[in-house]
Amino acid sequence: MKTRPLLLLVLLAGVIILVGWLYTAVMRPAMAVPTEQRAQMVEDLNACCRLKHGRAAQLDHYARIADKEQSPQTARLFRAIAHAERVQERHCAELIRRAGGSYHPPHRLIILRNSTPGNLAAAAKAMAVDSATIKRIAYHLHGGNRLAARALVWAVSGEIGHRKRLEEALYHCDHPTRGYRVCPTCGWVCEVEHLHPYCPQCLTEGQMMVSF
């Protein structure tokens, strides 16, 4: 009977150590990345954040135009992609904070306007993958900074998927859909009809996805 309190104390000590280790791993600002790599990481993720912020604002404006032009499905697509862009912006901003940096969204944005077909074409063109981003991914992978590389990979994969859906909507080669779902972790977008039990990109549970 005397060994039971001792066992409980050992288990409690183990839990405290584990919680302390997890807290340190999550909160430490340096993220075990060398100083020179952290500076490059903050710069790259800041650029990604600002790009995502501008795109989201533009896509929301496109969605309002689509609503006025009685194109509800296109409006849903614009809003789903805008939300995905904001999810990735928030994720990159959190990594910047953990790396000891800071992110401030741009105060002034240039918002373009056209008819819905023109807006679809402009949005698809804006989703072109920049070769410089691929080089930045390779740089962070080579330096062992998998968190920064993953955030940029999510950004690139999102742009590829967004462009495909926008071009399908533009050229009327898509099938009618009842809406879209957006992963709250990585910004992955899927049609409601093709919902997976888990996000295929980050394994977030499908029931947590945001509907549009």
Side-chain angles (χ1 to χ4, degrees), residues 30-120:
M31 294 179 6
V33 178
T35 302
E36 63 276 9
Q37 291 186 27
R38 288 206 307 274
Q40 186 63 49
M41 171 185 174
V42 169
E43 179 181 341
D44 292 344
L45 294 182
N46 249 305
C48 185
C49 280
R50 295 174 69 86
L51 178 63
K52 298 292 179 180
H53 185 87
R55 280 180 180 167
Q58 183 68 74
L59 288 163
D60 280 337
H61 183 69
Y62 289 161
R64 290 191 290 270
I65 293 176
D67 282 333
K68 292 179 181 178
E69 296 181 352
Q70 304 299 313
S71 298
Q73 183 169 319
T74 304
R76 284 197 296 269
L77 176 59
F78 281 140
R79 289 194 172 96
I81 296 176
H83 185 75
E85 295 287 286
R86 288 196 174 94
V87 167
Q88 293 176 355
E89 179 190 10
R90 289 195 297 269
H91 178 67
C92 290
E94 173 63 17
L95 291 181
I96 291 171
R97 184 193 66 80
R98 289 176 58 187
S102 61
Y103 164 66
H104 303 285
H107 296 293
R108 300 185 63 182
L109 297 171
I110 298 176
I111 303 297
L112 306 177
R113 62 187 66 195
N114 202 334
S115 62
T116 294
N119 291 336
L120 282 168

Side-chain angles (χ1 to χ4, degrees), residues 191-204:
E191 290 75 13
V192 169
E193 294 82 356
H194 302 146
L195 181 63
H196 297 265
Y198 296 92
C199 171
Q201 186 163 250
C202 70
L203 299 181
T204 296

